[in-house]
Each structure stands twice: as structure tokens, then as C-alpha cells.
Amino acid sequence: MAFDRTIKIAPSILSADFANFGQEIQAIEAQGADWVHVDVMDGHFVPNLTFGPPAVAAFRKHVKTVMDVHLMIAPVDPYIEAFANAGADIITAHVEAGAHIHRTLQAIRATGAKAGVALNPGTPAEAVEHLLDMTDLICVMTVNPGFGGQKFIDMTGKVRRLREMIGDRPVHIEIDGGVDPTTAPLLAEAGADVLVAGSAVFKGGSVEKPEVYGANIRAIRAAAGGV
Ligand code: DX5
Ligand code: ZN
């Protein structure tokens, strides 16, 4: 995984058909997805439940690009190895999920996975100031985590601040929540390079109509100024 700041679209399979993940992943990748975003929820850190490590390991067999695993769980540390063994390329933990995010990021990198840190809308950019040299990705939540299809919360100022703080470091800025062709341009302009999108990618499409996924992905990418 070489680092670059080109726009990457990461469809969240939270909006896919839960009875058909294999074909859904193949469809979004064939239609231009750069990464595959996997939302892990525990019914404790967030009020919803999704997948554990065995499901993520099953997804891995279908992912040819990058498997980006977003952990919305607390505690995080006891499960890091299991998600790394499940084949996650990137493991992202929330700064709000525990007292020791620094240790968590060290533990993620120790598995060989890339380490991401996520910030809820109420958490300031400065929360990651002392973590910039030990993280590969900062995920800026633009909804309160837990569900797909929520209304976008503008975090453009936070993204701009993070972009300044990051400087030349090889750290991605990822946006998660309410990304669509209307919100994408503001975020890209502010310095984001990874755009997660659930509803805006899967809307109107299916494995029988995968070209809709392609059109949706292209619309977000074009709006963000990517090619
Ligand atoms: C929210 C998840 C997101 C979600 C985004 O807790 O982390 O990845 O699936 O969904 P949309 O794009 O529909 O807002
Ligand atoms: Zn997510």
C-alpha cells in the first residue's frame, strides 16, 4: 500500500445486502471502489451491532483492494489481534473508546496492520496532536457513529486543521458519514483524501444492477475533483 493523497472512495458495506456480502464486495470493486470500508459495531460504544472477526475474515476472501476496518467498539485492545488475523489492512480505533489510544495504536502497528484513529464530531483535532507519528490515517466522523444514512455534520474546519497539523507526514484523512456528491467537494478541498460512503454508493443499485454503484462512485469522485 503505497501512500498518496489522491481521492479514494471507500464504500461502506454497512449499506450492502447483508445476505450477500461476497458478491456485493466484488461488485463495488469491479465498479471502481478503491478501498472497502467495514464498520464493526459492538452495541456498547455505539448503539448498533454488526460484525465480528469471523465475518471480517470471510469478507477478506473477496476483497482485492484494501480492507479498511473501522472499529466502533470498547474496549478495543483485546480484539486487535483477531481483526488483524482476519486480514484487515487498516484497523481504526476511536480516540473516545478508551483511556489509552496511544497504546492501542502501538498494538495495531505491532500486528503489521496500518493504524487509524477516529474522532467523533464532538472531539477536537488536537486530540490526535501527539499521535501523528504513530498513525497512518485519521478518520473524521461527520455523523455520530452507529448508523448509515444519517445527516452530514460539517467538520470542514477540523479537516483543515488536521491537514495543517499533518504537514508532510504520510497520514491519510478519511471522512466517514453523509458523504455524497454535495458534501465531497468541501471535504476534498479541506484536505481529505479518503471518502467513505455507504448510502451514496449503494443507493439505487444491487448486484444485478452494479452499474449504478459505478455511477454513484464516479459521481462522488468527480465532485471531489478526483479522476
Ligand atoms: C457510521 C459508519 C459509516 C456509515 C456511513 O457509524 O461508520 O461508515 O456506514 O454511512 P453513510 O455514508 O450512509 O453516512
Ligand atoms: Zn465507518
Side-chain angles (χ1 to χ4, degrees), residues 10-15 37-41 46 48 70 72 94 139 141-152 175-180 196-201:
S12 163
I13 59 168
L14 190 61
S15 296
H37 186 82
V38 178
D39 285 308
V40 175
M41 303 186 185
V46 290
N48 194 7
H70 177 193
M72 285 160 276
H94 271 259
C139 174
M141 295 302 303
T142 39
V143 296
N144 284 296
F147 303 94
Q150 301 184 80
K151 194 176 175 316
F152 178 76
I175 309 296
D176 192 0
V179 172
D180 63 20
V196 175
S199 0
V201 166

Side-chain angles (χ1 to χ4, degrees), residues 169-201:
R169 295 178 180 88
V171 179
H172 297 288
I173 299 182
E174 175 177 78
I175 309 296
D176 192 0
V179 172
D180 63 20
T182 313
T183 55
L186 313 165
L187 301 160
E189 193 269 326
D193 65 301
V194 185
L195 302 176
V196 175
S199 0
V201 166

